[in-house]
């Protein structure tokens, strides 16, 4: 599926706080590693001005004791959650009604949307989010605006921007508020072209696979495959096209992987020059299948040389392993 990252009319910036098993991994439910205990959100108009706020505490049903880290960070306690909280299904339904239609969802980082949908699945709440789910990862946008590869924490970004920090961090509504203030600072910048894609709900088939072109790279999200080998045999996964002119490109360096999780390749477009490819092998939420996220990006001679060096280092290590086994 080809889709542009068109702007919606309003922005819903939300944040979640969640609890986890106080008994550690051995007592963690695989279907629900994190149980949401708080939803906070601010709705911004098209000019990034605050229009309304939303806040709900949620009464835990699975992990009925707060993990000490969650209690320490949020300063919440189980008595408050039981007295003032509502069931997750009720909170989620109220949240989506409050959001309204034609909104762009915004978060700090990628985890909140995943955990929101995982909790909806677990508690039998209909997923009201659109698909494909494009959203703004404000942490990523802020990182792009910095241009140095850093991804600061929310409190660090607030300090760097000189924003008023008169609200405590690590509470859902406050963190959503801060994220909204940062988004407002970035709203008129070029980074807003880089909308993110949520991977919780994957394309059901080939025809629905996601192809998106951004100003400096192209991204492809595949359907689920039974194995990595099956994915890498698929033409849609391994093909390379110039995202500027659409020309199918032959590979100067074929796909190779140093670790079975990331693949690299190098092609060259007669019109636009070198283009590097990266394939990330990711597990589905159930972790019994895999999917692929492929990015293609134009590069220069130095970038092309770096891919060649990585390929040569991989070949050298592989040869060394074979000698040790012989």
């Amino acid at each position: 599926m080809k889709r542009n990252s068109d702007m919606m009319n309003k922005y819903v910036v939300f944040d979640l706080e969640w609890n986890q098993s106080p008994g550690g991994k051995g007592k963690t439910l695989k279907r629900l590693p994190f149980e949401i205990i708080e939803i906070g959100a601010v709705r911004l108009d098209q000019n990034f001005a605050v229009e309304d706020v939303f806040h709900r505490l949620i009464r835990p049903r699975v992990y009925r004791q707060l993990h000490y880290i969650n209690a320490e960070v949020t300063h919440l306690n189980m008595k408050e959650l039981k007295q003032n909280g509502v069931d997750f299904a009720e909170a989620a339904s109220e949240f989506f009604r409050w959001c309204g239609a034609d909104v762009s969802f915004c978060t700090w980082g990628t985890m909140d949307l995943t955990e929101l949908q995982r909790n909806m699945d677990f508690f039998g709440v209909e997923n009201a989010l659109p698909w494909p789910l494009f959203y703004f990862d404000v942490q990523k946008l802020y990182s792009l605006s910095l241009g140095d590869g850093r991804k600061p924490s929310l409190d660090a970004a607030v300090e760097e921007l000189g924003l008023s920090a008169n609200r405590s961090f690590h509470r859902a509504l406050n963190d959503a508020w801060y994220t909204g203030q940062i988004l407002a600072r970035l709203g008129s910048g070029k980074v807003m072209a880089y909308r993110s894609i949520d991977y919780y709900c994957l394309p059901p088939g080939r025809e629905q696979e996601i192809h998106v072109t951004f100003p400096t790279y192209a991204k492809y999200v595949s359907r689920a495959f039974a194995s990595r080998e099956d994915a890498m045999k698929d033409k849609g996964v391994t093909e390379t096209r110039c995202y500027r002119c659409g020309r199918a490109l032959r590979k100067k360096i074929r796909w190779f992987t140093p670790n079975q999780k990331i693949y690299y390749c190098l092609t060259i477009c007669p019109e636009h020059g070198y283009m590097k490819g990266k394939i990330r092998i990711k597990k589905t939420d159930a972790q019994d299948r895999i999917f692929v996220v492929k990015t293609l990006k134009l590069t220069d001679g130095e970038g092309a040389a770096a891919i060649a060096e990585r390929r040569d280092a991989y070949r050298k290590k592989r040869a060394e392993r074979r000698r040790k086994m012989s």
Side-chain angles (χ1 to χ4, degrees):
M1 169 180 265
K2 294 186 178 181
R3 167 130 178 209
N4 296 321
S5 52
D6 296 327
M7 294 286 191
M8 297 291 184
N9 293 327
K10 298 181 181 181
Y11 305 87
V12 168
V13 187
F14 76 93
D15 185 83
L16 307 173
E17 298 297 335
W18 50 68
N19 189 28
Q20 61 201 82
S21 171
K25 290 185 178 180
K27 295 186 178 181
T28 296
L29 292 182
K30 289 184 178 180
R31 290 178 54 218
L32 192 74
F34 304 108
E35 183 179 14
I36 296 171
I37 56 175
E38 187 178 31
I39 301 175
V42 296
R43 190 169 63 233
L44 309 180
D45 65 19
Q46 53 266 49
N47 297 315
F48 303 99
V50 176
E51 188 178 79
D52 198 6
V53 300
F54 177 92
H55 178 251
R56 291 291 183 277
L57 292 176
I58 296 168
R59 187 182 305 115
R61 293 299 186 190
V62 177
Y63 305 122
R64 295 173 181 263
Q65 178 183 343
L66 279 178
H67 192 285
Y68 75 95
I69 292 178
N70 301 100
E72 182 179 293
V73 168
T74 64
H75 301 292
L76 287 167
N77 59 70
M78 193 57 68
K79 181 179 179 181
E80 181 181 4
L81 292 175
K82 287 180 178 178
Q83 288 182 345
N84 302 324
V86 299
D87 286 341
F88 173 80
E90 180 181 343
S93 297
E94 289 180 353
F95 173 61
F96 285 115
R97 284 198 301 271
W98 173 85
C99 289
D102 296 327
V103 298
S104 291
F105 289 94
C106 314
T107 62
W108 186 265
T110 62
M111 286 189 67
D112 290 82
L113 275 169
T114 296
E115 298 312 322
L116 178 60
Q117 293 175 92
R118 187 178 279 142
N119 274 252
M120 286 194 289
D121 279 351
F122 185 88
F123 291 107
V125 178
E126 182 180 358
N127 193 331
L129 294 163
W131 189 90
L133 178 49
F134 289 85
Y135 70 102
F136 290 110
D137 176 352
V138 183
Q139 184 185 45
K140 171 182 154 183
L141 300 183
Y142 182 63
S143 176
L144 289 171
S145 74
L146 296 173
D148 57 10
R150 290 187 301 118
K151 280 193 172 183
S153 62
L154 179 60
D155 53 343
V158 167
E159 182 178 359
E160 289 175 1
L161 289 171
L163 298 174
S164 174
N166 57 354
R167 298 165 179 254
S168 60
F169 289 94
H170 306 298
R171 288 298 302 267
L173 181 55
N174 295 344
D175 285 359
W177 178 275
Y178 285 128
T179 302
Q181 296 303 298
I182 295 173
L183 180 66
R185 289 285 188 97
L186 301 171
S188 59
K190 294 180 180 179
V191 295
M192 294 297 288
Y194 293 91
R195 191 174 274 198
S196 296
I197 308 169
D198 177 73
Y199 306 139
Y200 187 83
C201 294
L202 293 172
R206 185 188 298 274
E207 293 300 316
Q208 293 80 27
E209 291 181 326
I210 301 168
H211 300 261
V212 187
T213 300
F214 298 101
T216 57
Y217 66 95
K219 178 174 282 190
Y220 156 85
V221 182
S222 79
R223 64 197 186 278
F225 292 91
S227 67
R228 174 177 55 85
E229 291 77 14
D230 288 344
M232 294 306 297
K233 290 176 184 176
D234 187 84
K235 182 180 178 181
V237 169
T238 58
E239 72 175 356
T240 51
R241 289 183 175 273
C242 178
Y243 56 90
R244 291 259 182 101
C245 63
R247 182 185 279 110
L249 305 178
R250 290 187 177 182
K251 296 174 184 65
K252 187 175 179 67
I253 296 178
R254 294 182 177 277
W255 291 107
F256 69 94
T257 177
N259 55 17
Q260 310 301 314
K261 294 181 180 179
I262 301 178
Y263 288 74
Y264 302 94
C265 81
L266 180 69
T267 63
I268 187 166
C269 174
E271 183 177 354
H272 296 106
Y274 288 113
M275 186 172 69
K276 59 183 179 181
K278 178 188 284 188
I279 285 175
R280 293 183 181 273
I281 304 293
K282 294 180 173 285
K283 291 182 178 180
T284 61
D285 193 59
Q287 297 195 349
D288 58 347
R289 294 169 70 80
I290 64 97
F291 67 101
V292 162
V293 177
K294 177 175 65 179
T295 55
L296 300 171
K297 186 175 185 178
L298 290 172
T299 189
D300 55 15
E302 185 177 345
I307 294 291
E309 289 175 7
R310 182 172 280 157
R311 187 270 317 271
D312 294 343
Y314 159 69
R315 286 178 171 176
K316 183 178 179 181
K317 287 184 179 179
R318 185 174 62 175
E320 289 175 354
R321 287 198 299 268
R322 287 177 175 174
R323 281 197 298 271
K324 289 179 180 180
M325 294 175 63
S326 61

